[in-house]
Amino acid sequence: MRILVAGGLGALGKAVAAELAARGMQVAIVDMAPAEAGAASVVQGGVDLADEASVTKAYSEVTANLGGLDAVVNVAGGFIWEPVDGGSIDSWDRMYRMNLRTAAVSARAAIPHLLANGGGSIVNVGAAAANAAGMGMAPYAASKAGVKALTESLADELRGRGVRVNAILPTIIDTPANRRDMPDADRSGWVTPSGAARAIALLISADAACITGASIVLSLPG
């Protein structure tokens, strides 16, 4: 299988690329960060994943390099904790652009290649906070609720065209950035990047051929 990981140079993205490569898949990464060597056979860095023209061009080049496209995983995103009262309204735009717009742009760019291949799979990375947002989570959770809605609507749109669309909704992923931001937190229940990567691999695989439109909460290390 030929898989494109959007945002594959972050902590979760690298784990996803490594997991898929270990399963014998061809992996390509497109990311805003500078390109670096890793588990992927093709890496395009310096691509603004919120810019449709840039992403469309990059996906066409990657697909030509891979000889087709079977799935895309939308990992790109960001987090901010900020109360509404006293926070910045610009944070809402930032979270929308990083989390929801990137997923929508990536899906739109990937769909023609998946359809040309006869079908495939899209997996989005949402967040459990989309279902229950605590204090300070509103801008982030709203954007991730948008990812969940995108997943459900796009799955229905593509249901009869051979493309499945699903999402994972992790609680807190055990990344260096989250450890740095929450140094005193109890990490015993945090989802490991490798655990999330295995869940993504399952949703891409033929074992999940009957699943579309699902948003699966991940709440154990895995």
Side-chain angles (χ1 to χ4, degrees):
M1 293 181 70
R2 298 152 299 186
I3 318 296
L4 193 158
V5 182
L9 294 177
L12 177 58
K14 288 179 178 178
V16 171
E19 178 67 29
L20 299 180
R23 294 174 182 236
M25 302 180 193
Q26 288 181 271
V27 181
I29 287 173
V30 177
D31 202 302
M32 181 71 171
E36 61 181 69
S41 57
V42 179
V43 181
Q44 279 209 22
V47 178
D48 182 354
L49 292 169
D51 182 77
E52 188 165 28
S54 299
V55 172
T56 298
K57 180 176 180 291
Y59 282 25
S60 293
E61 293 171 355
V62 165
T63 301
N65 196 309
L66 294 178
L69 188 63
D70 297 294
V72 61
V73 182
N74 293 319
V75 180
F79 174 77
I80 189 170
W81 188 95
E82 185 177 275
V84 176
D85 182 19
S88 171
I89 197 66
D90 291 337
S91 297
W92 294 74
D93 295 331
R94 180 183 172 200
M95 289 293 94
Y96 159 78
R97 184 175 180 85
M98 294 179 73
N99 293 322
L100 178 53
R101 183 181 172 93
T102 55
V105 167
S106 176
R108 282 169 54 87
I111 286 169
H113 302 293
L114 296 173
L115 293 176
N117 189 55
S121 178
I122 298 171
V123 179
N124 297 318
V125 176
N131 294 331
M135 175 185 170
M137 299 290 285
Y140 172 74
S143 67
K144 289 297 191 177
V147 172
K148 184 173 183 286
L150 170 66
T151 299
E152 295 167 352
S153 180
L154 189 57
D156 194 49
E157 179 180 337
L158 299 175
R159 183 178 297 273
R161 301 169 73 184
V163 178
R164 298 182 298 107
V165 187
N166 294 292
I168 61 166
L169 308 183
T171 48
I172 300 175
I173 299 179
D174 191 356
T175 65
N178 284 336
R179 288 190 174 216
R180 183 176 61 249
D181 292 342
M182 295 174 276
D184 300 323
D186 177 6
R187 300 193 294 269
S188 61
W190 288 15
V191 178
T192 63
S194 59
R198 287 192 293 273
I200 289 169
L202 172 63
L203 289 172
I204 289 171
S205 75
D207 290 336
C210 62
I211 302 174
T212 194
S215 292
I216 300 172
V217 174
L218 307 183
S219 57
L220 294 172

